[in-house]
Amino acid sequence: MSDKYKVRVNETFEFDLTNENISKIDALRTSKNQYHVLLEAKSYHTEIVETDFNNKKYTVKVNGNSYQVTIANELDMQIAAMGFSVGSSKQVSAIKAPMPGLLLDIHVEVDQEVKENDPILILEAMKMENVILSPRDGVIKSITASKGDAVDKGQMLIEFA
């Protein structure tokens, strides 16, 4: 289980939590979706109003005020740091460099058909070889870098048709 979480509230406030932080919260379930929380000698009446488990988004009422809450675990944060997002792989139209590095090899050509998880290219970063896999089935439209190129984070490498 993940030990670190990033919690965003109303797309404005961001909190970093760990399992240890969470275990210190004194929460008592009062009904299926309601809790009474004691935190730092303050009492809060909370209710989970809506849940979108797949997108990790929740609407929570605290003392009558509604908040939109998004929770990301360590894997979600790593995926975001690489420039990808969970659940959006089918809409990917281009592959961008997830980090600065040296392009060691390109395994595809323009107009080539690829399947999801086929190796596309190898990027060396921090003395490690990173195999970049195809995020979806598709056809390679263009390749904007060459073997041996130094690439920057976010630089477009491959575009899908």
Side-chain angles (χ1 to χ4, degrees):
M1 183 170 186
S2 184
D3 190 41
K4 295 179 184 176
Y5 304 90
K6 189 165 293 288
V7 179
R8 291 184 59 104
V9 179
N10 291 343
E11 296 295 325
T12 305
F13 302 102
E14 195 167 88
F15 304 93
D16 292 317
L17 297 176
T18 64
N19 286 344
E20 184 179 339
N21 299 130
I22 295 167
S23 70
K24 292 179 181 177
I25 298 172
D26 185 6
L28 175 66
R29 184 180 221 155
T30 57
S31 73
K32 183 180 178 187
N33 293 327
Q34 295 181 341
Y35 296 82
H36 183 257
V37 178
L38 289 174
L39 183 63
E40 297 177 1
K42 290 186 181 180
S43 177
Y44 301 92
H45 297 281
T46 64
E47 178 182 4
I48 301 169
V49 179
E50 288 182 43
T51 62
D52 181 353
F53 185 76
N54 289 334
N55 293 310
K56 300 180 183 182
K57 294 182 180 185
Y58 307 87
T59 302
V60 179
K61 272 191 180 178
V62 179
N63 292 343
N65 298 313
S66 288
Y67 300 94
Q68 301 301 315
V69 179
T70 305
I71 301 171
N73 63 21
E74 286 180 279
L75 178 60
D76 299 327
M77 291 183 273
Q78 288 174 347
I79 290 170
M82 291 177 65
F84 299 107
S85 60
V86 176
S88 67
S89 62
K90 303 302 180 215
Q91 291 82 8
V92 171
S93 61
I95 294 179
K96 297 180 181 180
M99 61 199 85
L102 180 66
L103 197 51
L104 294 181
D105 201 2
I106 301 173
H107 296 294
V108 294
E109 297 175 2
V110 173
D111 294 328
Q112 180 179 335
E113 281 190 41
V114 294
K115 298 287 183 194
E116 184 173 357
N117 294 323
D118 282 353
I120 298 282
L121 52 90
I122 298 176
L123 180 67
E124 180 184 87
M126 300 188 324
K127 299 182 182 180
M128 292 181 61
E129 291 185 7
N130 300 282
V131 178
I132 308 298
L133 304 176
S134 177
R136 66 175 179 96
D137 293 353
V139 176
I140 304 299
K141 179 180 178 181
S142 67
I143 301 171
T144 59
S146 301
K147 182 178 176 178
D149 285 356
V151 297
D152 294 321
K153 179 179 179 177
Q155 179 178 334
M156 185 166 72
L157 304 174
I158 293 179
E159 186 177 18
F160 287 92

